Amino acid sequence: MSELVLINVSGRDKPGLTSEITGIMGQYEVRILDIGQAVIHDYLTWGILIQIPDASHSSPVIRDLLFRLHALDLQVRFAPITPEEYQQWAQGRNRACYIVTLLARDITAEQIARVSAITARHQLNIDNITRLSARPSLNVDENRTACVEFSVRGTPDNLAQLRADFLHLASEMNVDIAFQEDSIFRRNRRLVVFDMDSTLIEAEVIDELALEAGVGPQVAAITERTMRGELDFSQSFAERLALLKGLEESVLERVAARLKMTEGAEHLIRSLKALGYRTAILSGGFTYFARNLQRQLGIDYVYANELEIVDGKVTGRVSGTIVDGARKAELLLEIAKKERISHEQVIAVGDGANDLPMLSEAGLGVAFRAKPVVKESARHAISTLGLDAILYLIGFRESDTNQQVQPPRDHDTGL
């Protein structure tokens, strides 16, 4: 008759430990049912669940392991497991698995405690906790990023309430918390589409143009209400655009020169390109500025509004169909079809109410530094870190993307 034993080993890590321990087990034809290891600051915690096929070998196996582990200056604990306990545990592994991602400038014990309290309250058990960000410096750095990922398992009774609890905690503690199903699509995203204004760049271009035209306050007020979802985008866009009538074409270059990219935008795009992702700008702003970003970052697709210019002056109109919220969602699906991927493999990022349709179409929709109404409606939000925090949401460690990337090239953009 076989015997099940759970073995936990801890102590100073060194090369070859796994080979040493399993080599002893191998002499007795031990079967491995589960195995896991973590190393923090060169200190090892190692667990293994084994099945000893012949119970008469249990004492020799444990004796040999004890002698060798003692010689290696490692602590060990053995615990017998009944077949019933194992079956109950194995069945529990078939429950749904989710990923909780905690993002902040710095990770604190209170944050971990509050996040784990919510998971426990909603009947989710933590299987693993993994640090995705680099080890932090002991010196103060305002631009640092920190990320811890929890792999949790269970069946929450109320997913909507769970998400609401995380959103409330994120606001209260000034952190970001993402909760997503650990599906096959999570690490198989292939396309990322971005809004431009206040997402890839820090400004709203139409507000910058309005300043040049001397109508800044009027346009900014309309923009603010539109981003909050209080005004229809197409109507408000036409109203703001009309106020720009007569603006000199030469102003566009001056405005483009002073636009600043959002924190983390360049690192994110170059990392995505190096990893084989396709990228797109789907903007309710203007093509002139979107193509400028395309040249700088190597964006694959660009769709925005073509500002109509006659005799060197802005007419107050655009050519063609306005790229509003509905059009952004359509374009996302069209590009996904062209790239022969599922919409579940698309990440969409935006900050305004007109971005919500494309965020809902994407497998991973992220409201970036968004208005409250957008954060509440979107499934995921990032407010405390830069755009490159998106890499953590798809499970990449900082070491995975901290590499030299060749300068981007211009790309074709037509569908």
Side-chain angles (χ1 to χ4, degrees), residues 283-303:
S283 174
F286 303 113
T287 304
Y288 177 92
F289 302 94
R291 293 206 183 280
N292 188 48
L293 270 180
Q294 180 187 29
R295 288 189 291 271
Q296 295 179 65
L297 297 174
I299 302 290
D300 296 295
Y301 298 91
V302 167
Y303 289 91

Side-chain angles (χ1 to χ4, degrees), residues 148-216:
V148 172
E149 178 184 278
F150 303 77
S151 178
V152 301
R153 194 179 298 272
T155 308
D157 293 332
N158 190 330
L159 275 174
Q161 185 59 54
L162 173 61
R163 293 181 188 276
D165 289 348
F166 278 138
L167 183 64
H168 176 76
L169 178 61
S171 176
E172 182 182 338
M173 301 201 73
N174 194 30
V175 299
D176 294 318
I177 303 170
F179 177 80
Q180 54 185 312
E181 186 177 357
D182 194 12
S183 69
I184 61 172
F185 295 110
R186 180 172 175 259
R187 279 184 169 266
N188 194 30
R189 315 289 187 192
R190 304 310 311 151
L191 168 68
V192 187
V193 302
F194 299 91
D195 175 44
M196 179 175 67
D197 296 31
S198 297
T199 301
L200 279 176
I201 59 175
E202 293 184 350
E204 291 287 331
V205 170
I206 198 166
D207 291 350
E208 296 298 311
L209 293 175
L211 288 174
E212 297 288 341
V215 291

Side-chain angles (χ1 to χ4, degrees), residues 6-243:
L6 176 63
I7 305 172
N8 292 110
V9 177
S10 62
R12 183 69 62 180
D13 190 28
K14 54 182 75 96
L17 287 181
T18 299
S19 177
E20 289 252 17
I21 298 170
T22 55
I24 293 171
M25 298 176 186
Q27 298 173 25
Y28 297 92
E29 299 182 349
V30 165
R31 181 184 178 198
I32 306 298
L33 299 178
D34 197 14
I35 187 169
Q37 174 180 309
V39 177
I40 298 178
H41 198 62
D42 293 332
Y43 197 87
L44 166 76
T45 301
W46 193 83
I48 186 167
L49 180 59
I50 64 173
Q51 181 182 35
I52 303 172
D54 187 341
S56 64
H57 289 163
S58 294
S59 294
V61 170
I62 292 173
R63 179 198 63 212
D64 290 354
L65 286 170
L66 273 172
F67 279 129
R68 188 59 190 142
L69 291 169
H70 178 74
L72 292 169
D73 195 27
L74 296 171
Q75 290 74 52
V76 60
R77 183 175 70 89
F78 299 94
I81 303 295
T82 67
E84 292 76 21
E85 289 173 328
Y86 175 75
Q87 289 298 334
Q88 184 178 7
W89 172 83
Q91 290 171 4
R93 308 303 292 176
N94 294 325
R95 292 181 295 172
C97 188
Y98 300 92
I99 297 295
V100 180
T101 310
L102 171 62
L103 301 149
R105 293 294 178 183
D106 219 357
I107 300 296
T108 68
E110 184 183 5
Q111 293 165 5
I112 299 289
R114 299 283 296 277
V115 168
S116 56
I118 290 175
T119 60
R121 190 161 66 246
H122 288 274
Q123 308 304 310
L124 293 172
N125 186 64
I126 299 174
D127 285 345
N128 295 292
I129 302 176
T130 306
R131 174 185 49 79
L132 299 184
S133 54
R135 292 182 176 89
S137 168
L138 295 179
N139 299 321
V140 176
D141 179 5
E142 293 181 355
N143 293 320
R144 64 183 177 270
T145 63
C147 176
V148 172
E149 178 184 278
F150 303 77
S151 178
V152 301
R153 194 179 298 272
T155 308
D157 293 332
N158 190 330
L159 275 174
Q161 185 59 54
L162 173 61
R163 293 181 188 276
D165 289 348
F166 278 138
L167 183 64
H168 176 76
L169 178 61
S171 176
E172 182 182 338
M173 301 201 73
N174 194 30
V175 299
D176 294 318
I177 303 170
F179 177 80
Q180 54 185 312
E181 186 177 357
D182 194 12
S183 69
I184 61 172
F185 295 110
R186 180 172 175 259
R187 279 184 169 266
N188 194 30
R189 315 289 187 192
R190 304 310 311 151
L191 168 68
V192 187
V193 302
F194 299 91
D195 175 44
M196 179 175 67
D197 296 31
S198 297
T199 301
L200 279 176
I201 59 175
E202 293 184 350
E204 291 287 331
V205 170
I206 198 166
D207 291 350
E208 296 298 311
L209 293 175
L211 288 174
E212 297 288 341
V215 291
Q218 300 97 302
V219 169
I222 299 173
T223 300
E224 180 69 15
R225 294 183 64 196
T226 304
M227 299 304 288
R228 292 198 302 260
E230 297 175 7
L231 297 175
D232 173 73
F233 176 82
S234 296
Q235 181 182 356
S236 70
F237 181 67
E239 291 177 7
R240 287 177 289 167
L241 197 55
L243 293 172

Side-chain angles (χ1 to χ4, degrees), residues 315-361:
T315 66
R317 299 185 298 272
V318 293
S319 303
T321 304
I322 292 177
V323 179
D324 57 8
R327 182 58 179 151
K328 288 184 179 186
E330 291 173 1
L331 288 166
L332 180 152
L333 296 175
E334 288 179 29
I335 298 172
K337 183 177 181 181
K338 176 180 173 60
E339 293 291 335
R340 298 181 180 180
I341 62 173
S342 162
H343 70 98
E344 287 286 348
Q345 294 175 276
V346 181
I347 301 171
V349 190
D351 71 300
N354 65 314
D355 294 312
L356 284 172
M358 75 173 184
L359 298 187
S360 64
E361 286 288 355

